[in-house]
């Protein structure tokens, strides 16, 4: 329920409850809103602390409430085990997903169950990435409430375009834990486009690239926007490439040039001092040509260090080149027929002039950086929130589903219903029937993946349609419908059309399916395509043989009186041959035995049919 109040001075209605937009970043998070009167989006700067809230949570040793943001970042050096950063990397992931990366973090990631979701250990307490993300969201919510002097209960939160269903669901759960009703999960590049006003006019049609270089990650997305629909044509990037790597390049350069390795590499305090100085130098060089400072070594001596823009550019060139290679791939994947209408820069690291130049050169047009690259995602989220609040014409967001969704059919094969890369929300369905006479239940097992065999895909869930009226095999008509909503939640419905028996379930793809896993599943499907075809053919042959055996057995049971002893024995022998072939793993013997059984029984079947027709005719009186 929304509350409204009337401004007595102006006579205008004011919507009291503001829906905020949140950029929950790996390095930094921000909360923004659309000002109810000026209608302009703005990032919230509470108590003059700035709009950027570092995504860092520190747990004080005395067990007091966690500290979040810039204050928490201070403890990264002095109390690393109780100071959690980059938690977004862990959202919706299992320990196995993290692999070697787990050991690179300053805090403890727990591996009690390699299949389950990771937990982070602080002293004797355990936290899930969802809880830690909720801590950050709670802080953003508190700042918004304090600055806007109004309760904040609803939000739009952004996620990278490549986030899978599990990671999106985990983000949603974190919001709920922070007391926020999450009205929509929006892709970061979509939010950036919205902030630039792209997509708000239903008549425009645009294709844009969003280049996002943050603190630890790089994402490039190609979007097509038409009639207010945002479609992700392709994404690419590197989840371990960002501003931190630029800092590291500077640290390494200084260490080598000024002979700092011994003094600075053994002492964590000096190391941190060096890292911070490198970041300051990097930011300074975004606006100036030369940087100079002093570092203090263990003996208290001042060591001057310098860096020029030219030196810095040479140091980071290979890293920038890597981002351009990813852009090339994303462009190729998007299969564009037209030129891009705009190239948008997002993320603090796009302030580096070399990045601006390289991106503009690659795309053949000046990149757009007119909005603050730290804030642009949060601003776009605020606009989306404003749209959902009913303050603007609704804009539909369109994502794609990363993997095929389908159900298991006879023989353990996957029958695809919603193919991979389908735009969501989407709806699709198919009709099935029973394979056995009198079958009254039908099991519907739902899978996600690209392989032909369900056993090699990921099972999302199953249910049974019960109460199908007993009918001969093949007669019931069962419609199975898939409805995938904008948040990636799948609803599956099965209806037997003759009796109108129906069953419905909602399936949330489970946690723990990472983009690496998605990639792996796609790779496997390509690598194994040949094996899969062979396996599929074998299964199809087996299924057909089993159905033939079923029909033949049915036939002989019902028509024993019309068959000779020799015919019965021959049939039984050939049935045994088919069964023997079925026990093997070769397709050809199955097909051969089936053909023989078919040849053998066809004349009897025809004869029996004639008998039945004659009997039927005999029973009828004409005239
Ligand atoms: P994320 O989206 O990953 O949370 P941000 O978009 O907030 O990250 O980017 C943070 C990164 O931007 C940090 O590495 C920071 O050093 C870098 N950065 C911020 N301002 C500048 C600047 N003026 N010049 C270069 N890099 C900058
Ligand atoms: Mg970001």
């Amino acid at each position: 329920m929304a509350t409204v109040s009337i401004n007595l001075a102006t006579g205008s209605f004011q919507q009291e409850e503001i829906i905020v937009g949140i950029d929950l970043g790996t390095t930094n998070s921000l909360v923004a809103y659309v000002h109810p009167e000026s209608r302009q989006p703005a990032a919230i700067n509470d108590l003059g602390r700035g709009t950027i809230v570092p995504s860092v949570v520190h747990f004080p040793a005395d067990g007091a409430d966690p500290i979040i943001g810039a204050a928490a970042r201070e403890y990264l050096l002095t109390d690393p085990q109780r100071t959690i950063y980059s938690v977004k990397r862990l959202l919706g992931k299992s320990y196995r997903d993290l692999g070697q990366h787990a050991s690179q973090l300053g805090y403890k990631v727990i591996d009690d169950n390699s299949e389950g979701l990771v937990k982070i250990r602080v002293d004797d307490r355990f936290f899930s990435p969802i809880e830690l993300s909720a801590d950050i969201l709670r802080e953003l919510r508190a700042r918004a409430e304090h600055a806007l002097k109004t309760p904040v209960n609803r939000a739009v939160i952004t996620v990278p375009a490549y986030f899978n269903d599990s990671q999106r669901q985990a983000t949603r759960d974190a919001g709920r834990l922070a007391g926020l009703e999450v009205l929509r999960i929006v892709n970061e590049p979509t939010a950036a486009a919205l902030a630039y006003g792209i997509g708000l006019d239903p008549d425009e049609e645009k294709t844009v690239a969003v280049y996002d270089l943050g603190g630890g990650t790089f994402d490039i997305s190609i979007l097509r926007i038409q009639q207010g629909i945002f479609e992700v044509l392709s994404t690419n990037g590197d989840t371990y490439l960002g501003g931190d790597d630029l800092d590291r390049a500077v640290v390494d350069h200084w260490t080598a040039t000024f002979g700092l390795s011994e003094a600075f590499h053994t002492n964590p305090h000096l190391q941190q001092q060096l890292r911070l100085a490198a970041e300051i130098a990097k930011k300074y060089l975004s606006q100036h040509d030369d940087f100079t400072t002093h570092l203090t070594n263990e003996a208290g001596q001042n060591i001057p260090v310098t860096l020029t823009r030219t030196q810095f550019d040479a140091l980071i060139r290979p890293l920038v080149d890597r981002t351009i290679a990813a852009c090339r791939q994303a462009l190729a994947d998007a299969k564009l027929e037209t030129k891009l209408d705009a190239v948008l820069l997002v993320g603090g690291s796009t302030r580096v002039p070399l990045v601006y130049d390289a991106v503009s050169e690659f795309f053949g047009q000046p990149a757009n950086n007119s909005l603050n690259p730290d804030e642009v995602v949060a601003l776009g989220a605020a606009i989306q929130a404003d749209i959902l609040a009913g303050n603007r014409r609704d804009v539909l967001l369109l994502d794609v589903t990363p993997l095929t969704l389908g159900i298991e059919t006879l023989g353990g094969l996957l029958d695809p219903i919603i193919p991979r890369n389908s735009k969501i929300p989407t709806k699709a369905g198919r009709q099935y029937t029973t394979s056995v006479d009198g079958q009254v239940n039908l099991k519907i097992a739902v899978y996600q993946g690209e392989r032909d065999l369900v056993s090699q895909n990921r099972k999302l869930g199953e249910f049974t349609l019960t109460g199908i009226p007993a009918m001969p095999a093949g007669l019931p008509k069962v419609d199975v419908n898939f409805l995938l909503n904008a948040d990636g939640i799948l609803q599956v419905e099965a209806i037997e059309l003759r009796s109108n028996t129906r069953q419905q379930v909602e399936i949330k793809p489970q946690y723990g399916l990472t983009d690496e896993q998605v990639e792996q599943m796609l790779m496997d499907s390509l690598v194994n395509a040949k094996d899969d075809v062979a396996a599929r053919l074998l299964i199809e042959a087996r299924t057909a043989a089993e159905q033939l055996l079923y029909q033949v057995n049915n036939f002989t049971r019902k028509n024993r009186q019309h068959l000779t002893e020799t015919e019965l024995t021959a049939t039984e022998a050939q049935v045994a041959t088919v069964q023997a072939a079925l026990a093997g793993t070769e397709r050809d013997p199955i097909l051969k035995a089936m053909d023989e059984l078919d040849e053998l029984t066809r004349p009897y079947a025809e004869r029996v049919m004639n008998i039945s027709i004659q009997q039927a005719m005999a029973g009828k009186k004409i005239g």
Side-chain angles (χ1 to χ4, degrees):
M1 192 186 70
T3 343
V4 293
S5 63
I6 302 164
N7 182 329
L8 293 177
T10 61
S12 66
F13 275 93
Q14 276 181 322
Q15 184 130 26
E16 292 228 67
E17 209 198 324
I18 285 177
I19 308 175
V20 294
I22 293 178
D23 171 8
L24 183 62
T26 308
T27 313
N28 295 312
S29 298
L30 294 90
V31 54
Y33 78 119
V34 169
H35 193 282
E37 266 148 35
S38 75
R39 314 290 320 136
Q40 291 304 307
I44 290 169
N45 177 356
D46 183 41
L47 295 173
R49 286 175 287 183
T51 56
I52 294 175
V53 179
S55 308
V56 184
V57 182
H58 172 70
F59 293 91
D62 61 9
D65 285 346
I67 300 169
I68 287 103
R73 202 174 45 182
E74 302 291 310
Y75 292 95
L76 275 177
L77 174 73
T78 53
D79 200 1
Q81 305 235 335
R82 291 197 190 83
T83 312
I84 319 300
Y85 61 95
S86 287
V87 69
K88 186 174 178 179
R89 292 191 189 285
L90 310 180
L91 261 188
K93 297 207 172 178
S94 70
Y95 191 79
R96 209 179 46 185
D97 295 334
L98 294 179
Q100 56 174 107
H101 295 302
S103 60
Q104 290 164 3
L105 298 164
Y107 47 88
K108 283 201 184 108
V109 181
I110 298 306
D111 62 342
D112 56 343
N113 169 4
S114 68
E115 294 295 316
L117 291 178
V118 292
K119 287 260 179 186
I120 289 138
R121 181 175 182 164
V122 178
D123 298 327
D124 52 2
R125 291 183 291 170
F126 294 86
F127 299 98
S128 71
I130 295 177
E131 292 169 290
L132 296 163
S133 301
D135 287 331
I136 298 168
L137 291 172
R138 218 175 273 118
E139 171 73 18
L140 295 170
R141 179 181 178 211
R143 288 192 186 199
E145 289 186 331
H146 186 259
L148 304 177
K149 299 181 181 56
T150 168
V152 171
N153 297 312
R154 299 192 287 173
V156 166
I157 305 180
T158 58
V159 297
Y162 62 78
F163 253 32
N164 64 28
D165 297 339
S166 313
Q167 292 165 301
R168 286 165 197 265
Q169 188 62 39
T171 305
R172 208 169 247 290
D173 291 349
R176 211 173 38 218
L177 216 55
L180 290 167
E181 186 190 342
V182 181
L183 295 185
R184 188 71 66 89
I185 296 287
V186 176
N187 287 331
E188 288 162 10
T190 298
L194 271 177
Y196 274 98
I198 297 170
L200 294 174
D201 174 359
D203 297 327
E204 75 184 358
E205 195 178 319
K206 287 205 162 134
T207 310
V208 301
V210 180
Y211 177 103
D212 182 349
L213 190 59
T217 57
F218 167 63
D219 300 313
I220 172 76
S221 317
I222 313 288
L223 306 183
R224 174 171 297 147
I225 300 117
Q226 50 187 352
Q227 290 160 3
I229 297 175
F230 288 73
E231 187 185 344
V232 181
L233 295 182
S234 64
T235 66
N236 207 296
D238 188 333
T239 46
Y240 287 90
L241 176 60
D244 297 346
D245 299 284
L246 308 188
D247 302 345
R248 208 166 299 123
V250 173
V251 167
D252 292 346
H253 168 74
W254 280 347
T255 308
T257 315
F258 300 104
L260 306 175
S261 39
E262 272 169 39
F264 282 78
H265 269 206
T266 47
N267 182 327
H269 262 282
L270 295 179
Q271 229 177 303
Q272 177 72 351
Q273 185 199 353
L274 191 58
R275 209 195 60 72
L276 288 177
E279 188 179 0
I280 291 167
K282 171 186 78 175
K283 290 185 180 175
Y284 187 82
L285 290 176
S286 292
Q287 263 149 9
H288 305 85
D289 290 333
D290 294 286
F291 174 82
T292 313
T293 193
H294 292 276
L295 299 171
T296 316
N297 71 8
E298 269 171 322
Q301 296 165 312
N302 274 343
I303 303 168
V305 294
T306 59
L307 191 67
T308 66
R309 166 88 66 82
T310 316
Q311 287 172 325
F312 177 65
D313 285 356
L315 291 175
I316 65 166
R317 184 88 231 183
L319 300 171
V320 176
D321 285 347
R322 269 166 61 194
T323 69
I324 298 298
C327 292
R328 188 168 291 120
Q329 188 57 49
L331 262 192
D333 291 347
K335 299 193 176 58
L336 292 184
E337 281 130 34
T338 52
K339 202 172 154 290
L340 287 169
D341 294 297
V343 178
L344 310 178
L345 293 185
V346 178
S349 302
T350 58
R351 288 218 173 83
V352 173
L354 181 70
V355 170
Y356 176 87
D357 294 341
V359 174
S360 301
E361 189 197 318
F362 173 74
F363 287 105
Q365 60 180 292
N368 195 340
N369 61 355
S370 55
L371 291 176
N372 179 336
D374 299 316
E375 295 180 354
V376 53
V377 169
L379 296 179
I383 294 172
Q384 176 63 39
D386 196 43
I387 292 166
L388 293 175
N391 298 334
R392 297 181 194 224
R393 192 190 56 78
D394 207 342
V395 176
L396 181 65
L397 300 181
L398 211 67
D399 285 335
V400 293
T401 176
L403 291 168
T404 298
L405 293 161
I407 69 169
E408 176 176 358
T409 56
L410 274 183
L413 292 178
L414 177 77
D415 200 16
I417 294 191
I418 297 180
R420 128 186 165 75
N421 273 335
S422 296
K423 291 154 196 159
I424 59 172
T426 187
K427 226 171 103 173
R430 187 156 301 172
Q431 202 167 75
Y432 296 91
T433 188
T434 51
S435 51
V436 181
D437 285 346
Q439 187 175 338
V440 292
N441 293 332
L442 189 67
K443 189 186 84 178
I444 316 267
V446 182
Y447 286 82
Q448 186 177 39
E450 304 314 305
R451 303 290 296 274
D452 278 347
L453 305 179
V454 291
S455 57
Q456 281 153 357
N457 291 309
R458 185 188 181 87
K459 186 171 189 171
L460 297 177
E462 72 170 46
F463 66 103
T464 304
L465 176 67
T466 56
I468 302 173
M471 282 182 256
L475 270 193
K477 285 186 180 168
V478 178
D479 264 359
V480 175
N481 296 317
F482 276 32
L483 179 74
L484 187 59
N485 74 16
D487 293 322
I489 311 289
L490 177 67
Q491 203 170 57
V492 181
E493 180 190 58
I495 316 165
E496 200 291 301
L497 295 176
R498 290 176 197 276
S499 59
N500 207 24
T501 310
R502 65 173 69 214
Q503 209 100 34
Q504 210 182 41
V505 286
E506 195 169 90
I507 293 178
K508 281 183 191 167
Q510 286 153 0
Y511 289 153
L513 193 60
T514 65
D515 28 308
E516 287 80 10
Q517 263 175 303
V518 169
E519 244 163 54
Q520 192 59 48
M521 289 167 94
L522 294 177
M523 286 293 289
D524 286 352
S525 75
L526 296 179
V527 173
N528 295 299
K530 244 169 81 188
D531 287 356
D532 271 10
V533 169
R536 179 180 271 271
L537 289 174
L538 175 63
I539 288 177
E540 279 171 357
R542 281 200 172 132
T543 306
E546 274 159 10
Q547 279 182 320
L548 180 64
L549 286 182
Y550 174 80
Q551 284 163 2
V552 168
N553 285 336
N554 238 0
F555 173 81
T556 41
R557 192 164 35 81
K558 285 184 190 156
N559 301 293
R560 220 157 235 291
Q561 72 275 23
H562 304 302
L563 300 175
T564 67
E565 211 42 52
T566 332
E567 284 171 342
L568 282 172
T569 330
T571 307
E572 269 162 34
Q574 191 55 36
V575 163
T577 311
V578 174
Q579 280 164 339
L582 270 176
T585 53
E586 296 286 313
R587 173 171 171 260
D588 289 345
I590 299 176
L591 294 180
K592 183 162 168 281
M594 270 172 69
D595 279 348
E596 287 165 3
L597 179 60
D598 199 35
E599 293 272 298
L600 178 74
T601 54
R602 189 175 306 131
Y604 322 159
E606 279 165 11
R607 200 179 69 226
V608 169
M609 201 141 77
N610 285 337
I611 295 172
S612 331
I613 291 170
Q614 278 161 19
Q615 283 176 343
M617 299 289 281
K620 285 214 173 105
K621 297 222 160 58
I622 299 171

